[in-house]
Amino acid sequence: MEISRRFEGWERVWQSLREADLLLLGCPLFLLGLGATAIFSTDPRYADFSSQLMTGLGMTVVALLMGRLPYLLLLNWAWWFYGFANGLLLLVVFTGREALGAQRWLEVGGLSFQPSEFAKVAVILTLAAYLQRFPIKSFLNIFPVLGIVLLPALLVFKQPDLGTALVFGAITLAMVFWGGARLSWLVILVSPLVAAILFSIWVPLWMAWVGGMGVLAWRALDRNPALMLTVVVGNLVSGGLGQWFWQLLQPYQQMRLIIFLDPTRDPLGAGYHIIQSQVAIGAGQFWGRGLFAGTQTQLNFIPEQHTDFIFSAIGEELGFVGALVLLGVLGLLLWRCLVIAQNARDDFGSLIVIGIFTVLLFQTVVNIGMNIGLAPVTGIPLPFVSFGRSALITNFLALGLVGSVANSRKRTSR
């Protein structure tokens, strides 16, 4: 009997492998292998390499099994996941472990994990459930969605973790758009943030922006005077609020944003990571210096390179070709997610996949951007490549949900 049960268990795994989406399975595994190799090159401690590889392989099996479960079962559990995720984020505020100047981790049984990573999936599920029931049909329909995201975003910002808080913002915009919002509504929604930035750069430009938003609001919001006035006032007030928000940032976060504009302002301090990362990537040239042969990487010029700056190690040792292959595989994975979202059998599944697509795309763009100096350093990992168990587990759980949506479509079409 025991042998029979084990055989049935392996039979389910084998069945999952045979029915798996090749791109959803192959792309993450390739990225996992490339990332683990780069991690070993940056820090040849076997513990980090093996932890990343074993966690990824184990979660691949979990993702395959998740792909065989009907995702619609989660529809009635989405709010429970949302509450649980916020509960964990509250625990971080009061009992979280502090490291590198931030309080982001919880410890259970000697193991630490980052609840903000799992909160991304919980928020995606909750927004998908809400938007499936209440699609966006007017500009005002967006604000209940913002209310859902506000609590976890504020709790994450409190840690402080500006990068992950921005991920929640990207998720919201993408899912609201996919849920029926017009592009002009989203421009109006983010306009106060843009106004706050422009106010600190050049006041005449800020005034022109405010006027432009007034015209856009009049046309996009059915010529409603009250809504147009609200948009204009919001953009006017945001100029002063921008200075207030700046004071909410931690000093090191402020310095990261300042250094983003000019890394040479503090070349041995806040700008050190960006400068050394650019040097490493540039040194790789076309073919790279060779695996385990990059001088910047092997001599540890870039602190914590195996996490946020793993792309610099790949760029130096594998060159432009290696970076291009990495981007190509990530692009294939993102394209496959987008196709699955478009062909999902219902809005709930489609919204889940578009939320996951947004997380992977946003994190890829920001992480590579900060490695080459086109984005401020925010601590956002490169999906499936950067070292980090919480992020890796979350990414594979997310792909399990994508696989469930894809497989459900296949079963329906039969």
Side-chain angles (χ1 to χ4, degrees):
M1 182 65 71
E2 183 67 25
I3 294 176
S4 176
R5 289 176 179 173
R6 290 182 180 178
F7 179 78
E8 290 176 359
W10 283 109
E11 180 65 23
R12 291 194 200 98
V13 174
W14 176 244
Q15 183 71 14
S16 300
L17 284 170
R18 286 190 298 177
E19 295 185 359
D21 188 303
L22 291 180
L23 286 180
L24 282 183
L25 176 65
C27 290
L29 286 176
F30 177 87
L31 295 170
L32 175 68
L34 179 62
T37 304
I39 289 167
F40 188 71
S41 178
T42 61
D43 186 7
R45 290 180 296 181
Y46 185 71
D48 288 347
F49 165 80
S50 61
S51 172
Q52 183 80 352
L53 200 57
M54 292 301 102
T55 300
L57 292 175
M59 288 308 301
T60 301
V61 176
V62 173
L64 286 170
L65 295 176
M66 284 180 63
R68 294 186 57 79
L69 297 175
Y71 65 91
L72 287 173
L73 292 174
L74 300 173
L75 186 58
N76 295 325
W77 287 91
W79 288 100
W80 290 98
F81 289 127
Y82 177 80
F84 182 69
N86 282 304
L88 291 178
L89 292 175
L90 279 171
L91 281 177
V92 172
V93 174
F94 295 106
T95 64
R97 178 175 65 85
E98 185 174 342
L100 300 177
Q103 189 170 317
R104 303 174 185 172
W105 292 266
L106 287 179
E107 289 192 353
V108 178
L111 296 176
S112 62
F113 68 98
Q114 202 168 341
S116 60
E117 291 292 335
F118 303 109
K120 298 173 189 175
V121 177
V123 167
I124 289 172
L125 288 173
T126 308
L127 291 184
Y130 180 84
L131 290 170
Q132 190 258 359
R133 185 175 180 184
F134 304 105
I136 304 298
K137 296 181 179 179
S138 71
F139 179 71
L140 295 179
N141 291 154
I142 298 176
F143 289 91
V145 177
L146 299 181
I148 293 172
V149 181
L150 185 61
L151 177 59
L154 288 177
L155 290 173
V156 169
F157 182 77
K158 171 70 176 173
Q159 294 180 0
D161 189 351
L162 178 60
T164 304
L166 292 175
V167 174
F168 286 123
I171 291 171
T172 305
L173 292 176
M175 294 186 69
V176 163
F177 176 73
W178 203 258
R182 300 176 191 171
L183 184 60
S184 58
W185 296 350
L186 300 185
V187 173
I188 293 171
L189 197 64
V190 302
S191 63
L193 177 61
V194 178
I197 296 172
L198 295 180
F199 182 82
S200 62
I201 296 175
W202 193 35
V203 173
L205 183 59
W206 166 71
M207 294 175 64
W209 173 264
V210 173
M213 286 302 100
V215 174
L216 179 62
W218 177 256
R219 293 181 176 180
L221 303 180
D222 302 322
R223 290 175 167 76
N224 187 312
L227 290 178
M228 184 200 71
L229 184 61
T230 302
V231 171
V232 171
V233 171
N235 278 266
L236 287 171
V237 173
S238 64
L241 290 180
Q243 301 299 318
W244 172 77
F245 179 78
W246 178 259
Q247 298 302 321
L248 292 179
L249 298 177
Q250 297 293 321
Y252 78 91
Q253 292 175 322
Q254 295 176 350
M255 184 55 68
R256 282 180 175 180
L257 294 174
I258 294 172
I259 289 300
F260 162 61
L261 300 174
D262 182 15
T264 59
R265 182 170 178 171
D266 187 12
L268 298 179
Y272 182 80
H273 286 75
I274 298 176
I275 293 172
Q276 295 301 325
S277 176
Q278 290 174 323
V279 170
I281 294 171
Q285 298 185 20
F286 193 78
W287 294 108
R289 289 180 173 270
L291 199 59
F292 309 113
T295 53
Q296 300 292 113
T297 298
Q298 299 305 314
L299 296 176
N300 296 320
F301 275 95
I302 308 174
E304 303 295 328
Q305 192 178 14
H306 63 308
T307 54
D308 302 338
F309 286 87
I310 194 70
F311 182 77
S312 65
I314 295 172
E316 181 183 27
E317 299 193 340
L318 301 181
F320 176 77
V321 173
L324 194 61
V325 170
L326 170 64
L327 289 173
V329 175
L330 281 166
L332 278 175
L333 178 60
L334 290 168
W335 171 81
R336 185 58 188 150
C337 288
L338 195 57
V339 170
I340 292 171
Q342 291 175 325
N343 297 323
R345 61 183 293 188
D346 54 48
D347 290 340
F348 181 58
S350 182
L351 285 162
I352 288 175
V353 179
I354 208 64
I356 293 167
F357 164 85
T358 303
V359 171
L360 297 177
L361 175 62
F362 185 81
Q363 293 189 164
T364 298
V365 171
V366 173
N367 179 274
I368 294 178
M370 71 185 190
N371 272 257
I372 61 178
L374 295 181
V377 178
T378 57
I380 290 180
L382 187 59
F384 303 104
V385 181
S386 294
F387 176 77
R389 283 185 295 270
S390 296
L392 192 61
I393 290 172
T394 301
N395 288 334
F396 273 106
L397 289 175
L399 282 191
L401 291 174
V402 176
S404 177
V405 175
N407 290 333
S408 177
R409 180 72 180 180
K410 292 178 183 177
R411 287 192 289 268
T412 303
S413 62
R414 289 173 186 171

